[in-house]
Structure formats: structure tokens, C-alpha cells
Amino acid sequence: MWPLIRGTLSGIVGYMVGALIATLTTTSTFSGEFALVLGFVFGLLGWLFGIGMWNAWGREWVGLTPKTEKAEGWRRYLRFNTDHKVIGAQYLVTMLIVFLLAGLVAMAMRAELASPGQNLFTADVYNKVMSMHGILMIAVAVAGILGAFGNYLVPLMIGADDMAFPRINALGYWMVPPVAIALLAAPLVGSFDAGWTAYPPLSVLNGDGQVLFNVAVIAFGLSSILGGLNIVATVITMRAPGMTWSKLPIFVWAAFAASILSLTVTQFFAASLIMILLDRIAGTTWFGAPGGGTALLYEHVFWFYSHPAVYIMVLPGMGVILEIISHFSRKPLFAYKAVVVSFLSIAGIGSVVWAHHMFTSGMAQNLEGPFMALTEAVSIPTGVIFLAAVGTLWRGKLWFQTPLLLAFFWIFQFLIGGITGVFLADFVTDLSLHDTYFVVAHFHYTIVGGSIFALMAGTFYWFPKVTGRMYNEKLGKIFATWFFVFFQLTFIPLFWVGLNGMNRRVATYQDNLGGVNRFASMMAMIMGLSFVLFVVNLLWSAKFGPVAPANPWNARTLEWQVSSPPPEHNFPSPPSVDGGPYDYGVVGAPTHLREVADPVG
Amino acid sequence: MKKDIVNATLLWIVLSILGWILVLNWNIFPPALAREARIVDDAFNLLTVLAVPVFTFVVAILIYAAFRFRSPGGLEDGPPIQDTGRILTAWLVVTIALAGGILINPGFVGMSEVRGEGGADVVIGVTGQRWSWTISYPNGVDVTSYTGELVLPVDQRIQFDITSLDPDVIHSFWIPAFRIKKDAVPGRITQMFITPTETGTFAEDPNVRVQCAELCGQGHAQMSMKVRVVEQAEFDAYLDEILAEGG
């Protein structure tokens, strides 16, 4: 616990110093906006140095010997630990906690929306609650799979002993708790009510809490960039002998493609948020029309990140699902090479489609056609992912364990998300559907369907590897089915209310939509309850579940060829790779992990 | 193997027919009171009809696989079917054709239809501010959503010149019964063209209203205004009435 306490103390001291400097040098009060910004920056640095960055790393910068603070058992998770498996587990637990928290917030939203008038909240509070739900869930979707499985599995799957930059990896993770604290503390200073999209001028004019939103999200973005950098570098430089690019497990390819995006586009979100901070604090007028700025500038820069961000969320999900489908169908992944090309194409084309979020914004008319065309072009590589999924399932030997069940659900939901996405890519229908509940339903199908269901599937699939114990299969299947069924019952009606005049981000709506909304709210509550099963299953099984063998799924990829959980440096001796990762049923195919010949014998 | 393909194809066809019966008979839209609303609904329906076989294709394989290809235990390997390139090529041809097809219609065709010919019969100014709308009628009278309603003549091409107060925030001018919307941005004037084709009032259907569609703060949900689409003579009378009141 000592590193945590030390980090907290030095974080508080850092905050005080930053806020004090701001108070003394400007007209800002101690709880004013500039003090919040400078306090957060110094507090973040104080926390990082205190938690262990100084001992493990900083000391080297001034010529001292770095100290590593070893710990065993659960204590190793509560410190600056550079083991990628520890970091993956840290991300998984953190993101699941944030997910459950943001899910509770969603339940409060649905309670408000269960009937037309103002019920639980004032309209003002509802906007703040909605904004909190939005940004927390975005964080989970961005860093859930990539942070947890990307860190835990990429080195194992490519036969490496760790990530390329282990200390940057630990640094990236430990930036997350201050981000969460800043977001959750925002209600103390007026909260933020501009949604996760934070469009100015609203986000320039609203309460001080917006400042905490901005600094927190910028810090989270930096963590995301560092994580992306690390995965890209690891895949390029750390592959075991024989692990050629064409033998990479498909999840590694997906994480690689998503990481290229994190590494290259996250800066744009940070830049747009910094511009808002400058407008608020320094009096610049990037977005204020009276000073010569324009609100449209923000929309372009913001969506330049935030549309590709959808693929940062969903590409790793595709990787997890295709991985599971191949192993549980016991067939080679269908059209592997086409999937790889599709991942990279989705990342590439996905970076140049952002203005389809702006068809109603009043941007130049000549942009509308090209952005519609590019957006619809994304459906072609995305279609290949579906071909790979159903092609692999076809005539397979399907072993319906919880991960495969969730993979089936994933395909169904991402299919609905993809198809309804076409209605939003189409210029004419988007003019109607934009900013309505149709969009809300669509992106929940895409992000919950495409990212969260894959996070759940991966959690069950790799649970034996991470914990060394088996989860309860029956409870797992009941949870998966429960979550899936009530997800449909919640969100299908929301497509309808969107078509019938309900816009998004409202606490109240027209009376005629009350019945359908009440139904959706009730179904949402039941859906939320399913997570009791999820949590109970995982917590109980982690402690009392039957001991897992090294390879309970009889899968070929490298992570299953080492003990559960894997030894500290992953492989007892440096591995080398022979056959492909998915050569199920291929006569005479060599194993994926080459048996290392005894050098003496 | 042949049998599997035949059965799954049959399942696909049955599901598609059921899906088409569903989507061709449903009426999920609120009243469409404008030329543009019909263009939007037609585009939506066309996309839905095309989406049905795509959706049912994947669903048919999922259902068929879930029932016919089970083998518990993870011990037996499936046939190592490798992609020979032919299926992938066929798949790409179909998806490119579909994407290209919808890009042309409803994509570019709808875009050109909804923009329509230049010029307008009536020009009406719209100003959003937190949290009300101000309508500027052609006779120079302003009416706000606090006290008034938006009255429009039927069968006239109306040009809305939309803006937001400056400084204020972004709003979005949306009339659900007309479907389309356009943002009101501080410091800019955006335009939207609508030709109402049927008379109607908010009392008849709550979708005959102006609704702010871009999050603008605490009054966002209630930033709305009743709309009444009337015959030309009634519109002229209304203009005279507000002029008399205003003068």
C-alpha cells in the first residue's frame, strides 16, 4: 500500500503547488479555472513520481541507480509495476469498475426517462449525468480491450517477454486513476454538461467542471497515445523468431491497427480541448464568433479524432471475436489475409470520414458528397470481417462455451450497428436521424455490441489464463444471454422513438413517447441487473473456481502454451514459432510453438 | 456439404421474405408534412428493403451454425476450409455493388432531390438563443417561441435563414414532421429549404413542432415551438394579424 499512499500524498502536494502558483500569478482564485488546470498538471506529475516513476525511472535521469520495489500477491497490482501482465490486469479491473459505475449512471438516466416530464433530476442535472455517463463509457471503450488484452496478450501472443517500453506502459496505466478522480470530482466545481463531445461555445460558457473534463481527457489521451506507441513498437520489434507478420494472431493485428490510430489521431482531440481551455482561461477566441473564431472549427478537429476513435474501440473487439470464433469452431480463420487488409483499410478510410457527423452543421456543401462516399466505403472492409466470421463458423465444430456465445451475440449486434450506420452515412436520411435517439440506439449497438461484448467475451476467454482458475460456465452463459436479450429489448425501441421525434440529450420529451420509453427503461434496469451475475461469477471463480490447466480450450496460440497464469517472463526459454496460429484440421501442420530442441541432447 | 448450403440458403430466403413483409407493411414514421419528409422516408424505406437480405444472410448462417455445427469439448477439428479467393471475390463484388448502388440512390439522387431547385417563395428568418426561437416573418414582424407559433404556408418553397444569437451556443432547427434539420451557429447564417405539402398543427401531432436538436444547456429539451401549416390565404391573414398586433 505504501506506493499508493506516497503517490496520493505527493499528488496532493503537487496539486496544492500548482493551484497556489496559479493563484499567486494570476487573478484566478484557489478554486478557479486556471488553478484547476495547473493544480491538475502538477498533481498528476506528483502522483506519478510518488507512485514509483521516480524510483523506477527518474533516479536514472540524475545519475542514481533506479530502485525496483518488488512485491508478491495482490500487492504487486498496487504499485508501479512494469510487468505487462500486471498492467493488463490493472487495466481490466479498472475499466470494469468504471464500466459498472457508468452503467449505474445509465440506470439513473433511464429512470429519469421512464416518463415524459422531469422526474428524478432537473434538466440541468440530467445533462451533467448524461455527460458523465458518456465520457466514462467512451474511456472504457477506448482503453478496455486495448489496455487490458492489448497489454496482457500482445507480448504473450508474439512470443515476447514484455512490451517494448515497459516503463512507459506502467506510466500510461498510472495516469488513469487521476483522470477518473478529476472526472468524478467535477461535480464539486459545477460539473460539465456539454456531453462527451463538448461542443463550444457551450463548453466555453458552462461551469468550471468543464475544465476538469478537459484536463482529464487530455491526460487520458496522452495515456492512450503512449499505449498505442508501445503496442506498435512491440509488434514491430519484439516478435519471436518465426513469428512472421503473416503468422500474427488476428487479435495482434487488430490491436496493431487500432494502436496506429491511437498513436496518430488522439492529438487532435487534445488540441481541440486545449483550444477550449485557452478560450476559457486565456481569452483566445478560437470558437467565439465575436472575436473572429468559429464553432465549426471545433467540430472538424474534434471529429478528426472522435470518428477514428470508434475504430480504436471496435477494431480490437473484432480481433477478440475472430480469435474466439476460430478457436471455438476449430477451423482456420477464413480469409485471414483479407481480414488484415480490412483492418488496415478500416483504420485508413476511417480517418477521412469525420465530416459525416456534420451534415447538418452548415459546413460547405461541396464536402457533403465526398464524405458520404468515403463513409459508405468503410462498409466494404467491414463486410469482410463478417465474411471471415461466418466463413469460419461454417461447418466448424462449434464448442458453445460462454466466449463463443458472446461472439455470436457480438456478430448479431455489430451487424445491426453496421446496417443502421448506413442510414446515418446516407446524406438524406441523416438530415432526419442526426442527433435523435436513432443515433443513440445505433452507437450503443456499435460500441456496446462491437466493443463491450468483445470485452466480456475476452474476459471469459482469457479468465483461466489470467487468474489460473476456471469461471462458472453455466453462470457465464446465463449472464451472456440475459445481457443480450435485454439489450435488444432496451435499444430496439429507441430506434423507434428516434424516428418519432425524440432528440438525444433530453431529460423530457413529448407525451406520446412515454409508453415506449417506459418499456425501454424497464428493460434497461433488467439488463443492468445481469451484471450482478457477471461480477459474482468472476469474483467467486477467481478465488474458488477449479484450477485451470494451461490450455483449457485446446487452442493453438502461444499464450495457451504456457502455464496459467504465465510465469513472470512468460516463456521458460525463448520461444520460436513454426506453424500458423489457426491451422486446425490441417493435415501435417506443425504446431504454432516450435518445440525448442534440447541444446545438450 | 451441399445439403448444408441448400438448407441455409432456404433459411435465408424465408427470413428475407419475412423481413420484407415486415418492412413493407410497417408504418414507423410520424406524419410527413413536407416534400423533403417524403424524400427522407423514401430513402429510409429503400435502405431498409436493401438491408433485409444483408441482415438475414448473416443471421441465417448464425442460426444454422448454432444448430447444425455443434461439437462440444473442443477436441475435434473442423475441415480446414481455406479461402480460395473465389468466395472473397464474390463477396467483394456484391458489397461493392451494394455500397456503390446506395451511394447513387438514395445517396446522390436523394441529395440532389432534397436540395431542390434554387430560389424560394417565402424567406423566414430563424434565430436560436438559450432557450427560445425567434421567427422573423417576411413582413418584418418577429415572433418568439415564448408567446407565438411558427405559421407556414402550404405548397410554398420556404427558405429558412438560420442563425444563433452571438454570443450564444449552437442550436439546431428541426421540425420532425418535415424531418430535416440545420444547425444554428453563432456568427453564421445557414439555410434550409422546405416545401410543406400538407396542412397540420401541433395539436394534431406533436411532431409538428420546432425542436432544438443540438445540446445547448439546461433548457435544451424544452426549446421548442408549435408549428401550424396553413393555406396561403390563412397565412396572409396571419401576417396581417401579427403586423396589426406588433404595430
Side-chain angles (χ1 to χ4, degrees):
Chain A
M1 290 298 280
W2 170 234
L4 272 189
I5 297 167
R6 197 176 55 203
T8 308
L9 290 177
S10 58
I12 292 172
V13 171
Y15 182 88
M16 294 294 175
V17 170
L20 205 63
I21 293 175
T23 314
L24 295 176
T25 56
T26 68
T27 55
S28 173
T29 61
F30 193 71
S31 62
E33 296 200 350
F34 190 49
L36 288 172
V37 172
L38 222 53
F40 181 84
V41 172
F42 280 70
L44 178 66
L45 287 171
W47 156 262
L48 289 173
F49 275 102
I51 188 87
M53 197 172 118
W54 170 253
N55 277 341
W57 199 354
R59 292 171 61 89
E60 259 180 50
W61 306 340
V62 291
L64 301 170
T65 329
K67 286 194 235 169
T68 44
E69 302 172 284
K70 283 274 171 199
E72 294 303 316
W74 58 272
R75 285 191 180 80
R76 68 203 153 107
Y77 294 102
L78 299 180
R79 58 190 63 223
F80 195 87
N81 193 322
T82 56
D83 181 346
H84 71 99
K85 297 186 291 298
V86 169
I87 294 169
Q90 286 170 332
Y91 265 109
L92 184 60
V93 172
T94 309
M95 288 301 154
L96 286 178
I97 291 172
V98 175
F99 172 77
L100 294 173
L101 200 65
L104 280 177
V105 176
M107 295 300 113
M109 291 167 69
R110 280 318 310 177
E112 168 60 45
L113 294 169
S115 65
Q118 280 189 16
N119 311 306
L120 203 56
F121 306 122
T122 63
D124 179 43
V125 172
Y126 178 83
N127 286 347
K128 293 169 177 172
V129 168
M130 172 275 294
S131 303
M132 186 68 84
H133 167 76
I135 192 63
L136 291 180
M137 284 300 194
I138 290 287
V140 172
V142 165
I145 298 180
L146 217 46
F149 305 140
N151 278 310
Y152 198 100
L153 290 156
V154 165
L156 276 168
M157 284 179 152
I158 63 173
D161 59 351
D162 206 323
M163 298 286 272
F165 307 118
R167 291 188 291 204
I168 286 184
N169 206 11
L171 172 66
Y173 170 74
W174 285 110
M175 290 173 84
V176 173
V179 168
I181 289 168
L183 288 175
L184 295 172
L188 299 176
V189 287
S191 206
F192 46 90
D193 66 349
W196 84 273
T197 50
Y199 274 18
L202 182 60
S203 57
V204 175
L205 301 171
N206 60 357
D208 289 354
Q210 186 67 45
V211 165
L212 283 181
F213 173 97
N214 285 34
V215 290
V217 172
I218 291 166
F220 188 70
L222 180 53
S223 162
S224 186
I225 292 169
L226 294 177
L229 170 74
N230 219 339
I231 288 180
V232 169
T234 304
V235 175
I236 291 175
T237 63
M238 306 278 286
R239 284 169 290 123
M243 178 58 85
T244 56
W245 287 91
S246 64
K247 285 180 186 165
L248 282 182
I250 208 66
F251 173 70
V252 176
W253 267 115
F256 182 73
S259 295
I260 291 175
L261 283 177
S262 315
L263 180 60
T264 51
V265 296
T266 313
Q267 294 81 348
F268 289 84
F269 193 8
S272 64
L273 292 176
I274 288 172
M275 288 151 98
I276 286 176
L277 284 178
L278 289 171
D279 271 13
R280 292 182 74 110
I281 295 169
T284 56
T285 51
W286 300 99
F287 309 124
T294 170
L296 277 192
L297 170 64
Y298 178 87
E299 294 183 37
H300 279 294
V301 183
F302 170 81
W303 285 115
F304 194 88
Y305 163 75
S306 293
H307 191 78
V310 173
Y311 304 110
I312 298 176
M313 303 171 197
V314 168
L315 279 168
M318 292 172 173
V320 169
I321 295 303
L322 291 181
E323 194 74 38
I324 287 171
I325 286 177
S326 175
H327 298 310
F328 284 86
S329 303
R330 306 207 60 78
K331 275 184 59 201
L333 181 64
F334 192 79
Y336 171 98
K337 287 176 200 159
V339 171
V340 171
V341 173
S342 297
F343 282 165
L344 298 172
S345 314
I346 289 171
I349 305 172
S351 298
V352 290
V353 300
W354 75 90
H356 67 226
H357 293 272
M358 297 171 63
F359 284 154
T360 69
S361 69
M363 68 178 181
Q365 223 177 43
N366 63 325
L367 294 175
E368 292 165 351
F371 275 101
M372 173 171 70
L374 285 163
T375 306
E376 291 181 356
V378 183
S379 65
I380 296 159
T382 309
V384 172
I385 308 301
F386 284 101
L387 171 69
V390 297
T392 309
L393 290 171
W394 187 251
R395 295 183 61 217
K397 303 290 179 190
L398 273 52
W399 186 18
F400 263 99
Q401 300 299 76
T402 308
L404 184 63
L405 190 60
L406 281 163
F408 264 69
F409 295 156
W410 184 96
I411 297 173
F412 180 83
Q413 298 188 133
F414 196 63
L415 182 64
I416 294 182
I419 286 174
T420 52
V422 173
F423 290 75
L424 297 168
D426 183 74
F427 177 76
V428 171
T429 41
D430 183 67
L431 295 182
S432 165
L433 303 172
H434 179 71
D435 267 327
T436 69
Y437 257 78
F438 190 93
V439 176
V440 173
H442 157 74
F443 71 68
H444 280 85
Y445 266 96
T446 313
I447 308 299
V448 181
S451 182
I452 302 298
F453 266 72
L455 178 67
M456 300 300 155
T459 301
F460 283 105
Y461 177 52
W462 285 298
F463 186 85
K465 184 53 59 186
V466 177
T467 64
R469 289 179 186 274
M470 299 302 291
Y471 62 88
N472 184 297
E473 197 60 64
K474 193 168 275 176
L475 279 184
K477 284 178 187 165
I478 295 173
F479 157 73
T481 312
W482 183 350
F483 183 25
F484 171 75
V485 168
F486 286 93
F487 183 88
Q488 317 309 316
L489 294 173
T490 303
F491 285 99
I492 292 277
L494 296 185
F495 283 117
W496 184 86
V497 299
L499 284 170
N500 283 272
M502 183 160 166
N503 49 316
R504 49 189 292 213
R505 296 169 160 176
V506 290
T508 62
Y509 49 86
Q510 301 295 317
D511 291 342
N512 62 325
L513 303 176
V516 177
N517 267 298
R518 172 158 311 168
F519 177 80
S521 286
M522 282 161 42
M523 296 303 114
M525 302 292 163
I526 303 175
M527 172 176 75
L529 276 179
S530 69
F531 279 88
V532 174
L533 270 191
F534 176 76
V535 172
V536 166
N537 189 359
L538 295 195
L539 287 182
W540 192 88
S541 304
K543 186 100 180 131
F544 305 109
V547 172
N551 192 357
W553 312 126
N554 194 18
R556 286 177 59 92
T557 41
L558 293 186
E559 80 272 26
W560 298 107
Q561 315 312 320
V562 294
S563 63
S564 300
E568 193 178 341
H569 295 292
N570 296 351
F571 298 92
S573 58
S576 67
V577 168
D578 199 358
Y582 306 115
D583 288 346
Y584 296 105
V586 179
V587 178
T591 54
H592 187 45
L593 175 67
R594 187 202 303 271
E595 296 294 334
V596 182
D598 181 3
V600 184
Chain B
M1 185 191 162
K2 275 244 169 65
K3 205 181 88 204
D4 288 330
I5 293 176
V6 171
N7 286 345
T9 307
L10 283 175
L11 182 60
W12 176 32
I13 292 170
V14 170
L15 288 175
S16 296
I17 290 170
L18 290 176
W20 277 319
I21 291 174
L22 178 72
V23 302
L24 290 175
N25 286 296
W26 70 17
N27 185 14
I28 50 169
F29 307 114
L33 297 191
R35 187 186 78 93
E36 290 71 17
R38 295 190 188 287
I39 295 168
V40 169
D41 290 356
D42 288 348
F44 192 98
N45 283 330
L46 176 57
L47 289 175
T48 315
V49 167
L50 292 172
V52 165
V54 176
F55 179 68
T56 54
F57 179 81
V58 176
V59 171
I61 296 182
L62 290 184
I63 294 174
Y64 193 79
F67 286 99
R68 292 306 299 272
F69 301 137
R70 285 166 173 275
S71 172
L75 299 170
E76 193 187 355
D77 284 353
I81 304 169
Q82 305 282 6
D83 167 39
T84 56
R86 281 204 304 206
I87 294 173
L88 177 67
T89 309
W91 182 273
L92 285 175
V93 167
V94 171
T95 50
I96 290 171
L98 268 174
I102 60 166
L103 181 61
I104 294 166
N105 188 22
F108 285 114
V109 171
M111 183 183 282
S112 134
E113 279 179 8
V114 86
R115 283 176 183 165
E117 303 292 318
D121 304 318
V122 186
V123 179
I124 291 179
V126 175
T127 306
Q129 71 182 89
R130 285 172 293 171
W131 291 276
S132 68
W133 296 102
T134 302
I135 305 298
S136 305
Y137 285 102
N139 61 358
V141 179
D142 285 358
V143 170
T144 76
S145 53
Y146 293 120
T147 53
E149 52 186 354
L150 171 58
V151 179
L152 300 170
V154 73
D155 294 328
Q156 299 286 304
R157 184 169 159 87
I158 301 164
Q159 171 183 335
F160 291 102
D161 286 344
I162 304 163
T163 190
S164 176
L165 209 64
D166 191 11
D168 200 272
V169 304
I170 301 175
H171 304 280
S172 191
F173 180 73
W174 179 39
I175 299 168
F178 299 165
R179 303 293 184 273
I180 65 178
K181 60 176 71 74
K182 195 80 163 196
D183 288 2
V185 186
R188 293 173 60 101
I189 293 173
T190 54
Q191 289 183 335
M192 182 166 82
F193 292 89
I194 297 250
T195 308
T197 48
E198 281 175 54
T199 58
T201 65
F202 176 77
E204 288 161 17
D205 192 289
N207 289 297
V208 191
R209 73 178 195 281
V210 177
Q211 173 68 53
C212 179
E214 184 62 61
L215 179 63
C216 60
Q218 64 176 3
H220 169 55
Q222 276 145 348
M223 188 170 156
S224 62
M225 187 175 196
K226 288 175 185 172
V227 174
R228 188 152 56 96
V229 182
V230 298
E231 298 295 341
Q232 181 69 42
E234 203 180 331
F235 180 68
D236 293 336
Y238 173 79
L239 288 186
D240 291 343
E241 186 190 322
I242 53 172
L243 190 61
E245 281 173 15

